[in-house]
Amino acid sequence: PFLSHAPPPADSWIEVETTLPEYRLHVRLPGFQREGITLATKRRRILHVVADSWDNGGGHFERRISFGYDADLTQVRAEFDGVMLRVTIPRR
């Protein structure tokens, strides 16, 4: 099917680190391409991370992370190196 609900690769994971100036997310997404990753914010406190792959049987990764009211989700920055997605959310 066009959008299969294949599970994410077994070695995918997410880690959230909290520091005084910012929140940092480290998301391991092997087998995914930059074009298949979407970040969206909801209700000013939730970051929605979605990754889809249609290669080699496909894969789907989806997580919603809730933050405190000090998170500035209008200033989210992200980098992807082909395996690791690094997301930075400043704190107010």
Side-chain angles (χ1 to χ4, degrees), residues 65-82:
I65 302 100
S66 296
F67 293 95
Y69 288 103
D70 64 339
D72 186 358
L73 291 178
T74 63
Q75 300 296 319
V76 174
R77 294 183 318 272
E79 298 176 357
F80 184 64
D81 65 9

Side-chain angles (χ1 to χ4, degrees), residues 23-84:
Y23 294 101
R24 294 184 198 137
L25 272 66
H26 306 278
V27 187
R28 183 172 163 78
L29 296 170
F32 291 95
Q33 300 295 318
R34 180 181 183 153
E35 298 79 25
I37 299 172
T38 303
L39 298 177
T41 60
K42 297 181 181 206
R43 289 183 244 143
R44 293 189 237 179
R45 291 190 52 219
I46 299 170
L47 180 68
H48 192 186
V49 179
V50 179
D52 286 298
S53 174
W54 296 271
D55 297 332
N56 300 324
H60 178 78
F61 179 92
E62 184 171 359
R63 298 290 184 278
R64 288 184 179 98
I65 302 100
S66 296
F67 293 95
Y69 288 103
D70 64 339
D72 186 358
L73 291 178
T74 63
Q75 300 296 319
V76 174
R77 294 183 318 272
E79 298 176 357
F80 184 64
D81 65 9
V83 175
M84 288 295 294

